[in-house]
Amino acid sequence: GVISHVCTECFSIVSTEEIPVVPHSFGKWMLGEYATPWEAGHQYRICGTCGYKDIQEDSPIELHDNMLYIPTLGVKCDFGVGQFTQAEVNAYDVLYTDWAYRCEDVNNPFLLGHNYGSLGKLYNLKVGEHVYLQLDNTIYDYVVVNSEYAVEYDGLAIVGQTTGVSIWDTYSGALNPEMPEPLQNECK
């Protein structure tokens, strides 16, 4: 930049002085908002010298059939569709199933996978966070109601390591009384 010294009587430039340009000194990129399949997200970084905020927009996430996206974990991968069995979990990197507890109009999907696959960070998912998946040309936005690391199979249900409660008991309200009680006799 340049500083100009101006005469106070005639307002003409008397002299100029060059000022060296100080480059921005940006910090790390920070998350502003996650992109979703419908809306762009953004990240930003701030210059420690002048406070300028540099914003980078991220495009909406594109999905195709049998693909899921978990923004908070940075997971975007394909999934298989199958039944809630150990053989099906072993057959796919990520298994989507609503076979386990689909009752009346309620679709209660489960995403299952081993901790060495794409869902290895799934235990970091928090209640209230979003999972987006596309199935049959439709994108679904699910909000997590239970996230627990399952370590044990008791012959009837997968049991959570932290609570010691089966997924079925968690769903049916044993841990979350706000959730609707499914009608076991009418499940498909």
Short mmCIF file of all heavy atoms in Angstrom, two decimals, residues 143-174:
data_model
loop_
_atom_site.label_atom_id
_atom_site.label_comp_id
_atom_site.label_asym_id
_atom_site.label_seq_id
_atom_site.Cartn_x
_atom_site.Cartn_y
_atom_site.Cartn_z
N VAL A 143 -32.14 -39.05 12.31
CA VAL A 143 -31.50 -38.48 13.49
C VAL A 143 -31.20 -39.65 14.44
O VAL A 143 -32.06 -40.49 14.69
CB VAL A 143 -32.42 -37.44 14.17
CG1 VAL A 143 -31.78 -36.92 15.45
CG2 VAL A 143 -32.70 -36.30 13.21
N VAL A 144 -29.99 -39.68 14.94
CA VAL A 144 -29.56 -40.79 15.81
C VAL A 144 -30.29 -40.72 17.14
O VAL A 144 -30.32 -39.67 17.79
CB VAL A 144 -28.03 -40.71 16.03
CG1 VAL A 144 -27.56 -41.77 17.01
CG2 VAL A 144 -27.30 -40.85 14.70
N VAL A 145 -30.90 -41.83 17.54
CA VAL A 145 -31.57 -41.92 18.83
C VAL A 145 -30.83 -42.81 19.81
O VAL A 145 -31.05 -42.75 21.01
CB VAL A 145 -33.04 -42.40 18.70
CG1 VAL A 145 -33.87 -41.39 17.94
CG2 VAL A 145 -33.11 -43.77 18.06
N ASN A 146 -29.92 -43.64 19.29
CA ASN A 146 -29.08 -44.47 20.15
C ASN A 146 -27.81 -44.79 19.39
O ASN A 146 -27.86 -45.15 18.23
CB ASN A 146 -29.80 -45.77 20.54
CG ASN A 146 -28.96 -46.61 21.48
OD1 ASN A 146 -28.37 -46.10 22.42
ND2 ASN A 146 -28.90 -47.90 21.23
N SER A 147 -26.69 -44.62 20.05
CA SER A 147 -25.41 -44.96 19.45
C SER A 147 -24.59 -45.64 20.52
O SER A 147 -24.26 -45.05 21.54
CB SER A 147 -24.71 -43.69 18.94
OG SER A 147 -23.47 -44.02 18.36
N GLU A 148 -24.31 -46.90 20.29
CA GLU A 148 -23.58 -47.66 21.29
C GLU A 148 -22.73 -48.72 20.63
O GLU A 148 -23.09 -49.28 19.60
CB GLU A 148 -24.55 -48.31 22.27
CG GLU A 148 -23.84 -48.98 23.40
CD GLU A 148 -24.74 -49.32 24.56
OE1 GLU A 148 -25.95 -49.14 24.47
OE2 GLU A 148 -24.20 -49.79 25.56
N TYR A 149 -21.59 -48.98 21.21
CA TYR A 149 -20.68 -49.99 20.72
C TYR A 149 -21.17 -51.35 21.20
O TYR A 149 -21.26 -51.60 22.39
CB TYR A 149 -19.28 -49.69 21.25
CG TYR A 149 -18.20 -50.54 20.69
CD1 TYR A 149 -17.80 -50.41 19.36
CD2 TYR A 149 -17.53 -51.47 21.48
CE1 TYR A 149 -16.79 -51.18 18.83
CE2 TYR A 149 -16.53 -52.25 20.96
CZ TYR A 149 -16.15 -52.11 19.64
OH TYR A 149 -15.15 -52.87 19.12
N ALA A 150 -21.52 -52.23 20.25
CA ALA A 150 -22.03 -53.56 20.61
C ALA A 150 -20.89 -54.56 20.58
O ALA A 150 -20.15 -54.65 19.61
CB ALA A 150 -23.13 -53.98 19.65
N VAL A 151 -20.73 -55.30 21.64
CA VAL A 151 -19.61 -56.22 21.75
C VAL A 151 -20.04 -57.66 21.96
O VAL A 151 -19.22 -58.55 21.91
CB VAL A 151 -18.67 -55.83 22.90
CG1 VAL A 151 -18.02 -54.51 22.62
CG2 VAL A 151 -19.41 -55.80 24.23
N GLU A 152 -21.29 -57.86 22.18
CA GLU A 152 -21.71 -59.17 22.63
C GLU A 152 -23.02 -59.55 21.96
O GLU A 152 -23.88 -58.73 21.72
CB GLU A 152 -21.90 -59.07 24.15
CG GLU A 152 -22.14 -60.37 24.85
CD GLU A 152 -22.22 -60.10 26.35
OE1 GLU A 152 -21.33 -59.46 26.91
OE2 GLU A 152 -23.21 -60.55 26.94
N TYR A 153 -23.16 -60.79 21.65
CA TYR A 153 -24.40 -61.30 21.10
C TYR A 153 -24.90 -62.35 22.05
O TYR A 153 -24.21 -63.33 22.34
CB TYR A 153 -24.16 -61.89 19.71
CG TYR A 153 -25.42 -62.36 19.04
CD1 TYR A 153 -26.29 -61.46 18.44
CD2 TYR A 153 -25.75 -63.70 19.02
CE1 TYR A 153 -27.45 -61.90 17.82
CE2 TYR A 153 -26.91 -64.15 18.42
CZ TYR A 153 -27.75 -63.24 17.82
OH TYR A 153 -28.90 -63.67 17.22
N ASP A 154 -26.08 -62.17 22.62
CA ASP A 154 -26.57 -63.08 23.65
C ASP A 154 -27.49 -64.17 23.10
O ASP A 154 -28.16 -64.84 23.85
CB ASP A 154 -27.28 -62.30 24.76
CG ASP A 154 -28.58 -61.65 24.31
OD1 ASP A 154 -28.99 -61.85 23.16
OD2 ASP A 154 -29.18 -60.94 25.13
N GLY A 155 -27.49 -64.33 21.77
CA GLY A 155 -28.33 -65.35 21.15
C GLY A 155 -29.65 -64.81 20.69
O GLY A 155 -30.28 -65.37 19.82
N LEU A 156 -30.11 -63.73 21.28
CA LEU A 156 -31.38 -63.13 20.90
C LEU A 156 -31.22 -61.69 20.41
O LEU A 156 -32.00 -61.23 19.61
CB LEU A 156 -32.35 -63.14 22.09
CG LEU A 156 -32.71 -64.52 22.61
CD1 LEU A 156 -33.54 -64.40 23.88
CD2 LEU A 156 -33.48 -65.30 21.55
N ALA A 157 -30.23 -60.98 20.92
CA ALA A 157 -30.10 -59.57 20.57
C ALA A 157 -28.65 -59.13 20.70
O ALA A 157 -27.88 -59.72 21.45
CB ALA A 157 -30.97 -58.72 21.47
N ILE A 158 -28.30 -58.09 19.97
CA ILE A 158 -26.98 -57.48 20.12
C ILE A 158 -27.05 -56.60 21.36
O ILE A 158 -27.99 -55.83 21.55
CB ILE A 158 -26.63 -56.66 18.87
CG1 ILE A 158 -26.49 -57.60 17.67
CG2 ILE A 158 -25.38 -55.84 19.10
CD1 ILE A 158 -26.24 -56.89 16.37
N VAL A 159 -26.04 -56.71 22.21
CA VAL A 159 -26.03 -56.03 23.50
C VAL A 159 -24.98 -54.93 23.48
O VAL A 159 -23.87 -55.12 23.00
CB VAL A 159 -25.74 -57.04 24.63
CG1 VAL A 159 -25.61 -56.35 25.96
CG2 VAL A 159 -26.83 -58.09 24.68
N GLY A 160 -25.32 -53.78 24.02
CA GLY A 160 -24.40 -52.65 24.08
C GLY A 160 -23.38 -52.82 25.17
O GLY A 160 -23.69 -53.28 26.27
N GLN A 161 -22.13 -52.43 24.87
CA GLN A 161 -21.04 -52.54 25.83
C GLN A 161 -21.24 -51.64 27.04
O GLN A 161 -21.00 -52.03 28.16
CB GLN A 161 -19.72 -52.20 25.14
CG GLN A 161 -18.52 -52.24 26.07
CD GLN A 161 -17.24 -51.84 25.38
OE1 GLN A 161 -17.27 -51.22 24.33
NE2 GLN A 161 -16.13 -52.19 25.97
N THR A 162 -21.71 -50.43 26.82
CA THR A 162 -21.84 -49.46 27.91
C THR A 162 -23.02 -49.77 28.81
O THR A 162 -22.89 -49.80 30.04
CB THR A 162 -22.00 -48.04 27.34
OG1 THR A 162 -20.92 -47.78 26.45
CG2 THR A 162 -22.01 -47.01 28.45
N THR A 163 -24.18 -50.02 28.21
CA THR A 163 -25.39 -50.20 29.01
C THR A 163 -25.67 -51.65 29.39
O THR A 163 -26.37 -51.91 30.35
CB THR A 163 -26.62 -49.68 28.25
OG1 THR A 163 -26.77 -50.45 27.05
CG2 THR A 163 -26.49 -48.21 27.93
N GLY A 164 -25.16 -52.59 28.58
CA GLY A 164 -25.49 -53.99 28.81
C GLY A 164 -26.91 -54.33 28.40
O GLY A 164 -27.45 -55.37 28.74
N VAL A 165 -27.55 -53.41 27.67
CA VAL A 165 -28.94 -53.56 27.26
C VAL A 165 -28.99 -53.90 25.78
O VAL A 165 -28.19 -53.40 24.99
CB VAL A 165 -29.73 -52.25 27.54
CG1 VAL A 165 -31.15 -52.33 27.04
CG2 VAL A 165 -29.70 -51.94 29.03
N SER A 166 -29.92 -54.74 25.38
CA SER A 166 -30.04 -55.10 23.97
C SER A 166 -30.58 -53.93 23.17
O SER A 166 -31.25 -53.04 23.71
CB SER A 166 -30.97 -56.31 23.80
OG SER A 166 -32.32 -55.91 23.96
N ILE A 167 -30.29 -53.94 21.88
CA ILE A 167 -30.80 -52.89 21.00
C ILE A 167 -32.32 -52.86 21.06
O ILE A 167 -32.93 -51.80 21.07
CB ILE A 167 -30.29 -53.10 19.56
CG1 ILE A 167 -28.79 -52.85 19.51
CG2 ILE A 167 -31.02 -52.21 18.58
CD1 ILE A 167 -28.15 -53.18 18.20
N TRP A 168 -32.93 -54.02 21.12
CA TRP A 168 -34.40 -54.06 21.18
C TRP A 168 -34.92 -53.34 22.42
O TRP A 168 -35.83 -52.54 22.36
CB TRP A 168 -34.92 -55.50 21.16
CG TRP A 168 -36.40 -55.52 21.42
CD1 TRP A 168 -37.03 -55.90 22.55
CD2 TRP A 168 -37.43 -55.04 20.55
NE1 TRP A 168 -38.38 -55.72 22.45
CE2 TRP A 168 -38.65 -55.19 21.21
CE3 TRP A 168 -37.43 -54.51 19.27
CZ2 TRP A 168 -39.86 -54.83 20.66
CZ3 TRP A 168 -38.64 -54.16 18.71
CH2 TRP A 168 -39.84 -54.32 19.39
N ASP A 169 -34.31 -53.60 23.60
CA ASP A 169 -34.74 -52.94 24.82
C ASP A 169 -34.51 -51.44 24.75
O ASP A 169 -35.32 -50.66 25.25
CB ASP A 169 -34.02 -53.51 26.05
CG ASP A 169 -34.48 -54.91 26.38
OD1 ASP A 169 -35.58 -55.30 25.93
OD2 ASP A 169 -33.75 -55.62 27.10
N THR A 170 -33.42 -51.03 24.13
CA THR A 170 -33.16 -49.60 23.96
C THR A 170 -34.25 -48.98 23.11
O THR A 170 -34.81 -47.95 23.44
CB THR A 170 -31.80 -49.38 23.28
OG1 THR A 170 -30.79 -49.95 24.10
CG2 THR A 170 -31.51 -47.90 23.08
N TYR A 171 -34.58 -49.64 22.00
CA TYR A 171 -35.61 -49.10 21.11
C TYR A 171 -36.96 -49.07 21.81
O TYR A 171 -37.70 -48.11 21.70
CB TYR A 171 -35.72 -49.93 19.83
CG TYR A 171 -36.95 -49.50 19.06
CD1 TYR A 171 -36.96 -48.28 18.38
CD2 TYR A 171 -38.11 -50.25 19.10
CE1 TYR A 171 -38.09 -47.82 17.76
CE2 TYR A 171 -39.25 -49.80 18.46
CZ TYR A 171 -39.23 -48.59 17.79
OH TYR A 171 -40.36 -48.15 17.18
N SER A 172 -37.27 -50.11 22.55
CA SER A 172 -38.62 -50.21 23.11
C SER A 172 -38.85 -49.28 24.29
O SER A 172 -39.93 -49.25 24.84
CB SER A 172 -38.91 -51.66 23.52
OG SER A 172 -38.07 -52.05 24.59
N GLY A 173 -37.83 -48.53 24.67
CA GLY A 173 -38.05 -47.52 25.69
C GLY A 173 -37.36 -47.77 27.01
O GLY A 173 -37.48 -46.96 27.91
N ALA A 174 -36.63 -48.86 27.13
CA ALA A 174 -35.95 -49.12 28.38
C ALA A 174 -34.95 -48.01 28.71
O ALA A 174 -34.80 -47.63 29.86
CB ALA A 174 -35.23 -50.46 28.34
#
